[in-house]
Amino acid sequence: SVTAACQKLDEASAIVKEEEDRLADLAVVREKERELETQRIRDEEVARAAELQKIKERQEELEREKLLEAEERKRKEREAEKQKEKEAKEQKKKEKKERKEKEKREREARAEKDDKGSKSRSKYDSKDNERDRLWGDAVDEFKSSKGKHKGSRRS
């Protein structure tokens, strides 16, 4: 009976030992599963972080492109404005030149008209001028001779 009890105790010890080994193996498996789960979570976080970084870089690239496009648009607007100003200046110059040419043509036309009118008057004008000149000379001579020749007015 003692041997039977020892035998039962050995069997129970063997069962306990097997159960402990099984539990130890199970603990090792669970620990390994936890490590794998932790690694999987870490890998997912790294992948998410990399994806977020790519998204951030793409957004920055899009922002840079927008800024470059805006700068290019502003540059083109400035160039267009300068071109408009240049064209306006050229137009003003052209108008001024045309106005001066028109005024010159009008002056020439008036001068020509005046010349035609003055040719018909010129013969009278020249006689008037000659008479005025002679009269002026006579007056000058009279004034200069006054008091020099007593009794005679002519020199």
Side-chain angles (χ1 to χ4, degrees), residues 76-92:
K76 285 182 180 180
E77 288 172 0
R78 283 192 302 270
E79 285 179 2
E81 191 64 32
K82 284 181 182 178
Q83 185 63 29
K84 283 181 184 177
E85 289 174 5
K86 183 178 177 184
E87 288 172 359
K89 282 182 180 179
E90 288 176 2
Q91 184 63 29
K92 274 188 170 182

Side-chain angles (χ1 to χ4, degrees), residues 77-116:
E77 288 172 0
R78 283 192 302 270
E79 285 179 2
E81 191 64 32
K82 284 181 182 178
Q83 185 63 29
K84 283 181 184 177
E85 289 174 5
K86 183 178 177 184
E87 288 172 359
K89 282 182 180 179
E90 288 176 2
Q91 184 63 29
K92 274 188 170 182
K93 278 184 179 179
K94 185 178 176 183
E95 289 172 359
K96 185 177 181 183
K97 184 177 179 182
E98 288 173 355
R99 192 172 55 248
K100 285 190 174 194
E101 287 177 7
K102 183 180 176 186
E103 290 171 359
K104 182 180 177 185
R105 284 193 306 272
E106 288 173 355
R107 277 195 309 274
E108 289 172 352
R110 278 196 304 270
E112 204 174 293
K113 185 179 175 186
D114 289 349
D115 283 349
K116 285 180 183 175

Side-chain angles (χ1 to χ4, degrees), residues 132-145:
D132 290 346
R133 189 184 59 73
L134 289 173
W135 180 256
D137 290 346
V139 168
D140 289 344
E141 189 178 323
F142 174 75
K143 286 183 180 177
S144 66
S145 68

Side-chain angles (χ1 to χ4, degrees), residues 13 27 45 54-55 60 67 79 81 88 107 116 149:
S13 285
E45 288 174 352
K54 283 181 184 177
I55 290 171
E60 289 172 355
L67 288 174
E79 285 179 2
E81 191 64 32
R107 277 195 309 274
K116 285 180 183 175
H149 304 285

